[in-house]
Amino acid sequence: MFRVGRLNPQTVGVMSVVVQKYGGSSVADSSRIQAVADRVRDRHASGHNLVVVVSAMGQTTDRLVSLASEITSNPTPREMDMLLTAGERITMALLAMALHDRGIDAVSYTGSQAGILTDSSHGEARITGITAERVKESISEGKVVIVAGFQGVDPDSREITTLGRGGSDTTAVALAASLDAEACEILTDVEGVFSADPRVVPDAQRLEEVSYEDMLVLAGGGASILMPHSVEHARANGVRVHVRSSFTDEPGTWVVADTPGRDVVGIATDSEGGTGVITIVGSGAAQVATRVESALHDAGISSSVSGRGDRFARLEVSVERIDDAVRSAHDELFRSETTP
Ligand code: ASP
Ligand code: MG
């Protein structure tokens, strides 16, 4: 795993750096970009050096993918990356303009300009280092720096690369590591990480904190809040990640080093082939698997424990019953906290 050298604090002055990342839904249209500019302005005014990583607007990346498929069924990986990196460039320039209108000195950089160095794997490149020269220079000039997410450059071939779908999270965490940022805020359309998907389980609880390890297991189990690579970067470099809503000012979930939290932190769901997979996550997950299996049985849902590990237990159920199953499992594991 890539580890970074720390930034000399003298080069950025005494103010701390905060990296914020805004995902596609948070910059989906011009009014959302204006709202993000307001948030950035307020945060800047409260005395932070800000580096803002942006995703492409809304479904832009998907649209670019389908546009390519209207041209050819066989695009080269290089040109695909040239195409897809355009999405984030649109957002970064528009956000810079919106900040200029608010009287804020802001500058946008592509991943390559920001010195995000990667290997040569088009479409799924791994970050190998970050120079961030221009980012640091601009910070020291008091500017808000905007960086296009999800992209970098292979320094050997000088080709532009992308980091894989959802890769802006990784850009943000890696930049936060190299700037020794106080925090990396991931601003998104959900209020944080929950004990289960709140769209399926209405009384799912927001977690105040979750460890890198548990977050990785949740992501592996199907929770699509953070790209797993970004969590690995955060863990390797000790970056404190705050997942929170870009629509409210409420605190979200901190993803941090091991916390003395609960034994079972949450439940993720996924489907593999025609099978529903429920992953119970936390250091106590393996011990509760059989209990959950029998609770599901009592609810008329047949399941079988298909794996147990250090921080997880997996149960398989039919895809048709997966929502019922996660509600029953959540009820079994978290009930005592909701009904005293
Ligand atoms: N725009 C890219 C995607 O849709 C990267 C990102 O949003 O993180 O996957
Ligand atoms: Mg995302």
Side-chain angles (χ1 to χ4, degrees), residues 253-272:
T253 299
W254 284 92
V255 186
V256 291
D258 216 354
T259 66
R262 21 182 324 147
D263 294 347
V264 177
V265 303
I267 307 170
T269 55
D270 210 348
S271 59
E272 281 168 21

Side-chain angles (χ1 to χ4, degrees), residues 67-298:
L67 204 50
S69 73
E70 288 171 25
I71 299 291
T72 171
S73 57
N74 195 21
T76 64
R78 178 191 190 275
E79 300 307 334
M80 212 49 207
D81 276 354
M82 294 301 272
L83 177 68
L84 296 190
T85 49
E88 273 70 11
R89 288 180 75 140
I90 294 171
T91 319
M92 75 178 195
L94 292 174
L95 180 59
M97 293 173 196
L99 288 168
H100 295 162
D101 254 14
R102 286 160 177 75
I104 292 173
D105 202 1
V107 60
S108 67
Y109 292 125
T110 64
S112 162
Q113 289 174 316
I116 315 261
L117 310 180
T118 74
D119 64 17
S120 59
S121 322
H122 284 295
E124 50 175 13
R126 295 288 159 259
I127 296 178
T128 53
I130 294 193
T131 61
E133 291 298 330
R134 301 183 69 182
V135 174
K136 292 173 197 170
E137 259 169 50
S138 296
I139 291 174
S140 66
E141 291 162 8
K143 292 181 180 159
V144 170
V145 180
I146 305 163
V147 177
F150 164 68
Q151 55 185 272
V153 61
D154 171 4
D156 299 324
S157 65
R158 289 172 295 167
E159 296 293 5
I160 300 298
T161 54
T162 59
L163 307 179
R165 298 304 303 269
S168 297
D169 292 341
T170 305
T171 304
V173 171
L175 269 170
S178 90
L179 298 170
D180 206 4
E182 180 183 315
C184 178
E185 296 187 355
I186 304 287
L187 290 121
T188 177
D189 55 2
V190 296
E191 279 144 37
V193 182
F194 281 73
S195 54
D197 184 344
R199 289 167 303 188
V200 177
V201 182
D203 48 57
Q205 301 154 15
R206 179 178 55 81
L207 309 175
E208 279 174 32
E209 285 190 349
V210 61
S211 68
Y212 300 124
E213 282 72 21
D214 288 338
M215 192 66 222
L216 278 168
V217 184
L218 280 168
S224 57
I225 296 178
L226 284 176
M227 198 218 199
H229 279 295
S230 70
V231 184
E232 284 162 9
H233 274 288
R235 179 173 62 179
N237 294 287
V239 176
R240 292 165 49 79
V241 177
H242 189 184
V243 180
R244 60 193 304 192
S245 168
S246 68
F247 295 80
T248 71
D249 287 322
E250 299 304 309
T253 299
W254 284 92
V255 186
V256 291
D258 216 354
T259 66
R262 21 182 324 147
D263 294 347
V264 177
V265 303
I267 307 170
T269 55
D270 210 348
S271 59
E272 281 168 21
T275 308
V277 179
I278 290 182
T279 305
I280 304 167
V281 180
S283 57
Q287 288 87 289
V288 299
T290 312
R291 205 177 101 208
V292 171
E293 189 180 24
S294 62
L296 295 187
H297 177 84
D298 293 347

Side-chain angles (χ1 to χ4, degrees), residues 44-56:
H44 186 61
S46 74
H48 292 280
N49 286 306
L50 275 186
V51 175
V52 182
V53 174
V54 290
S55 287

